[in-house]
Amino acid sequence: MANRYRTLLGAAAGVAMLATAAVAPAQASAVAPVSVTFAAAEDVFVSQAEPAKSFATATWMSVCGTACGSATAGQRAALTRFKVTGIPQDAEDVKVTLDVVSARTTDTTVSVRPVTGAWTEAATTWNTRPALSAPVIGSHTGFTTGATAKLDVSSAVKGDGTYAFALTGTDATTTVLMSSRESGDRGPKLTVTYTEGAGDEQTDGPLPFTLSGTAALRASAKKVFAHYFSPYPISLDNQAPAGDYYARNYLKPDGESGKHAAYGGLLRDRPLGRDPITGDYALADLKTEVRQAITAGLDGFTVDILSVTSAQWTRVQNLVKAAEAVDPGFKIVLMPDMNGLSSTDGAALATALAKLAASKSVYRLADDRLVVAPFKAEGRTAAWWSDWMKTMETQHGIKVALVPTFVDFNKYRDAFASISYGFSNWGSRSPAANAGLSANIDRAHGMGKIWMQPVSVQDERPNQSIFDEAGNTENLRATWKGAIDGKAEWVQLTTWNDYSENTQFAPSRNAGWTYLDINAYYLTCYKLGCPKITNDTAYLTHRIQPVAAEPSYAQTKLMKLRDGSTAARDTVEVLTMLTAAGKVSVTIGGTTQTYDAPAGVSAKTFPLKAGTASASVTRSSAVVAKVVSPYAISATPYVQDLHYRAASSER
């Protein structure tokens, strides 16, 4: 099916924060829309107050929040399943709604989320219900007796297949909906509306090309991992994003009793927020991140192991569990952090990693060697690592393929050569520092080792008072070019979620999915060859302040440019991926400029100005892509914030 069905997980719930305007390519056909309706194959509701009771014969479905019926544990949720058939592969302008008929009038809100766990109408109770922790993809407020309410579930339906949904509420008042057992055919229905495809290759999904399926991407011998940093999961306290731990303590200068006041707060960005969920929220969030990474084309995570005893260790173990539960083919590479583990003895580290290695989700080579890629491997001598590998084999029966990730590769490579399967380094975060990446790769290959190339977006560290100049997306493109041209065997995205260093690729408040979307193109180039651009797309990146702007908050520690970095710059970049040449109009701070962009991938920068930024692409007088950045640019920021924002025309 065409790219439009490949909607990235969580986009409907979180990327609305980007407030981008997306204009689909003009269609050559004027075919009238087609609507097809599918009745529910199964539907039932479950009640927390009666956890073992089945409501499989009820002619209604009850939905309400945790205080339903004045009971503390009184939540009710509905489940419904549909089998969708006959949707054309080239269907365009697809919209899918879950239609429910109300049995009474209530001023309540009902949300819908996809369900992947197993359940049956006859056997499901509150105690046996599937997990209801997936992100909300649609909602409806206000129900009238006998009227049909429509909840948009387009992001979850990818063509023909079986789809299940959960309906949940936040109100103490019960929303009562008709079930399929109610007379009059008023049970839940799924309505799919689309137009017949014009037969061309144009697509209008979130990506500028059709991303190959997971099986095809994983069939490549080249692997792409993202560095997972356990201190910053999706949620730290299972609270709504407006008032959760990130909002209260990390994003505010006076958070955590003012300990971060000197540098204006610990963080400048955060993971996409979500509403509170029931059950083991920490594990559910890790499953969400695994799904996000799979959808973005990644092979796995390299997990930074900071401790083998603390809460960080618990998160590492849960990440392995999450990968195994979601998709064991998504691999976890063990990366003991030799900063955090500087005082941990070899036997304890061996025992801890052997425990993780029991999972089928932990990455091993074809010869069954366990891949271990220690961060700052030079924190221990090569002799220490050699003894540790012997301990792993003699005490735990595990042979190790060591892939040390150095801070200083050239200083330590020779000492580690005899015990290593491959090499990597942590790398730099500016175009100037990433101009000659092939040299390290060639050295590793010359020593008979594989190379894991770091690919990065940017790096700004408020609490360390330092930043690199990434040059909008220039650093991202440069590091991918190094990996591709140098024929690196593996890539490590540095990082998935280290918000304290602002190196994250993960879906976030400041960039949504934009960096992962851009990354997906280069990941495909690396694994399979560059794909054909089939969907006109424009990306905007910019800071929200000039580099030299003084914050209005009494911040005493300011970030300074790292030695050796590209020179700091104040620019807005338009990155286009176009099916054919087009004219680009860019407006920044009220000033509009135009230029001609070629087919394929191109980037152009413009001076940063206070105000707003937007760009549109036209071809034959028709707008084929438009992006409006939701991030205002100010000459007088509250705190120093040098993190590049990003927005896409397709989200």
Side-chain angles (χ1 to χ4, degrees), residues 626-644:
K626 183 177 181 181
V627 55
V628 179
S629 172
Y631 311 107
I633 303 162
S634 173
T636 55
Y638 178 56
V639 296
Q640 186 192 39
D641 187 346
L642 300 183
H643 187 238
Y644 274 107

Side-chain angles (χ1 to χ4, degrees), residues 331-350:
K331 297 303 182 182
I332 305 299
V333 177
L334 304 183
M335 182 170 274
D337 188 316
M338 303 320 291
N339 280 331
L341 298 171
S342 59
S343 61
T344 302
D345 66 59
L349 180 62

Side-chain angles (χ1 to χ4, degrees), residues 261-436:
Y263 37 88
L266 179 63
L267 306 183
R268 299 298 184 265
D269 195 11
R270 59 161 298 155
L272 288 178
R274 56 148 180 82
D275 291 331
I277 57 178
T278 58
D280 188 344
Y281 78 87
L283 181 60
D285 284 344
L286 289 167
K287 290 179 181 179
T288 293
E289 292 191 271
V290 169
R291 293 186 186 101
Q292 290 172 337
I294 292 171
T295 306
L298 304 186
D299 293 290
F301 286 139
T302 54
V303 60
D304 193 302
I305 303 172
L306 291 161
S307 165
V308 295
T309 58
S310 68
Q312 309 303 338
W313 174 240
T314 300
R315 286 198 188 115
V316 169
Q317 294 178 89
N318 279 339
L319 180 62
V320 172
K321 291 178 184 177
E324 189 168 314
V326 172
D327 179 358
F330 182 84
K331 297 303 182 182
I332 305 299
V333 177
L334 304 183
M335 182 170 274
D337 188 316
M338 303 320 291
N339 280 331
L341 298 171
S342 59
S343 61
T344 302
D345 66 59
L349 180 62
T351 299
L353 267 57
K355 179 179 180 180
L356 297 176
S359 170
K360 57 186 176 182
S361 291
V362 171
Y363 190 45
R364 293 175 181 259
L365 301 180
D367 61 8
D368 203 41
R369 279 184 291 170
L370 175 71
V371 175
V372 178
F375 170 76
K376 197 181 178 182
E378 63 263 46
R380 299 290 178 93
T381 65
W384 187 93
W385 283 110
S386 179
D387 289 343
W388 180 82
M389 292 167 68
K390 291 175 184 175
T391 299
M392 287 290 287
E393 185 170 3
T394 58
Q395 299 298 316
H396 302 284
I398 298 173
K399 291 185 177 181
V400 171
L402 193 72
V403 184
T405 298
F406 297 109
V407 175
D408 191 340
F409 163 64
N410 286 310
K411 183 176 180 179
Y412 293 97
R413 66 176 192 262
D414 292 337
F416 279 75
S418 64
I419 62 170
S420 298
Y421 171 73
F423 290 134
S424 183
N425 69 340
W426 192 239
S428 302
R429 310 288 181 262
S430 74
N434 286 315

Side-chain angles (χ1 to χ4, degrees), residues 572-598:
V572 176
E573 180 193 87
V574 183
L575 176 66
T576 53
M577 298 189 183
L578 302 180
T579 61
K583 185 170 289 294
V584 182
S585 177
V586 185
T587 301
I588 306 167
T591 300
T592 299
Q593 302 177 66
T594 62
Y595 70 97
D596 294 322

